[in-house]
Amino acid sequence: MRKWLDIRAFMGIPALDWLYAAAATLLGFFILTYLLRFVVDRAQALARRTRSRYAQILVDVLRGTSKTTLFIAALIIGAKFLPLTERWDSRLDHVWFLVIGFQIALWINRGVGIWTASRLAATGDVVHNPVITTMTAWTLRALLWSILLLAVLANMGVNITAFVASLGVGGVAVALAVQSILSDLFASLAIGLDKPFELGDFVVFNDIAGSIEHIGLKTTRIRSLSGEQIVCGNTELLKNTLHNYKRMKERRILFTFGISYDARPEQLRQVPDMVRQAVEAAGDTRFDRAHFKGFGTQDLTYEVVYYVTDPSYNLYMDVQQKVNLDIMEGLERLELAFALPMRNIHVVRR
């Protein structure tokens, strides 16, 4: 009995009120937990019945509810049963706003995380750009926590106008200090929006040739033909002219060959048709032209143009090899020979 009197003398609150507050806290925590479980079960049943992706996301978000925020909310409910002063009631209202705002921010943050993971894990025909997805997630999270911070400060009576202005000045200073990083960051955004290349594309620029392996916020990683990984800054990468061979629909082939000068005109007239037959017989090709181009210093020059209808380099080499062999056989049938390098030497006697 004396202990209860000591508590009353120290806190100025009857022991019975403390008992009511404790009971209200436990009951409130139990009710909040039960309501959360009830809503999650209902949402889970809806997701199973409708097979809705958004219903499943709602379930995953609600399952991430913090038990700490539920317990603090229950404490605030219990504190309402205490005969507190007006000052403490006002403070509890601020804490209540903070708890609700923090929990909503946690839900939204978890939803952004689930959305980001689902887009990055997408396979098949629908493949989302990882740069745009990552930057969108970062922007949403930064905006979310900034709004929460400003809302809490405003609720506590802080003048956020001056605070926002100071943040703007500080932001300019930080931007000047990390301008190279920001340059690569915006370059990655340009890559994500304009899509000059994507993961798996084979690109060539300067003396670098390889497949795009990773597109990051600051750098892009390329797996070269010799096997090593090349890391390029996004800004420097966009300054170069890139050849994206992955997006090539067909490959245009131009080559020449020369015939010796001892050939007769009636033989030369048959060469274009022979070349056409060789190109068409190779398969996966579209013949364009074959002409007796002109008189070279050592040969009669023919120029041939055709298209390989598949961009694969290995297929192109297979086709070109077959065309070359068929041309050699065709020239043998026409009793023609390739021109060989010759040098005429005139000896002048004095």
Side-chain angles (χ1 to χ4, degrees), residues 109-178:
N109 183 74
R110 183 175 175 83
V112 171
I114 295 172
W115 173 80
T116 304
S118 64
R119 286 177 67 90
L120 293 178
T123 56
D125 297 334
V126 181
V127 178
H128 302 283
N129 190 287
V131 174
I132 294 296
T133 302
T134 304
M135 292 194 65
T136 302
W138 280 28
T139 303
L140 290 176
R141 287 192 171 108
L143 184 62
L144 168 66
W145 294 110
S146 299
I147 292 175
L148 176 63
L149 176 61
L150 295 177
V152 170
L153 292 176
N155 184 260
M156 296 175 63
V158 178
N159 184 7
I160 64 174
T161 303
F163 182 70
V164 172
S166 63
L167 283 179
V169 175
V172 172
V174 172
L176 291 175
V178 296

Side-chain angles (χ1 to χ4, degrees), residues 278-296:
V279 171
E280 292 177 347
D284 296 310
T285 58
R286 178 165 54 87
F287 180 79
D288 186 18
R289 62 182 177 83
H291 293 97
F292 176 20
K293 181 180 179 180
F295 301 92

Side-chain angles (χ1 to χ4, degrees), residues 312-323:
S312 171
Y313 186 80
N314 289 339
L315 176 63
Y316 151 63
M317 291 303 298
D318 291 339
V319 169
Q320 186 63 50
Q321 175 178 263
K322 189 174 188 309
V323 169

Side-chain angles (χ1 to χ4, degrees), residues 168-204:
V169 175
V172 172
V174 172
L176 291 175
V178 296
Q179 55 182 340
S180 62
I181 298 177
L182 291 178
S183 177
D184 287 327
L185 184 64
F186 284 107
S188 69
L189 180 61
I191 293 173
L193 292 175
D194 193 44
K195 297 181 180 179
F197 51 81
E198 296 177 332
L199 294 178
D201 288 3
F202 185 85
V203 297
V204 175

Side-chain angles (χ1 to χ4, degrees), residues 40-80:
V40 170
D41 291 341
R42 290 292 182 179
Q44 183 66 58
L46 177 64
R48 291 175 180 174
R49 185 171 63 255
T50 62
R51 295 183 179 179
S52 173
R53 175 187 174 189
Y54 299 103
Q56 187 59 47
I57 291 178
L58 176 62
V59 173
D60 294 336
V61 167
L62 291 178
R63 283 177 176 171
T65 303
S66 173
K67 298 295 183 181
T68 303
T69 57
L70 291 180
F71 183 71
I72 294 176
L75 283 177
I76 297 174
I77 295 173
K80 292 296 184 179

Side-chain angles (χ1 to χ4, degrees), residues 29-45:
F29 182 75
F30 173 77
I31 292 175
L32 291 175
T33 305
Y34 175 78
L35 287 177
L36 176 63
R37 188 179 304 169
F38 176 79
V39 173
V40 170
D41 291 341
R42 290 292 182 179
Q44 183 66 58

Side-chain angles (χ1 to χ4, degrees), residues 256-263 268 292-303 337-342:
T256 60
F257 63 92
I259 296 176
S260 61
Y261 266 95
D262 57 359
L268 298 178
F292 176 20
K293 181 180 179 180
F295 301 92
T297 56
Q298 299 177 356
D299 62 2
L300 303 172
T301 306
Y302 278 84
E303 185 176 81
F338 288 107
L340 299 176
M342 294 184 300

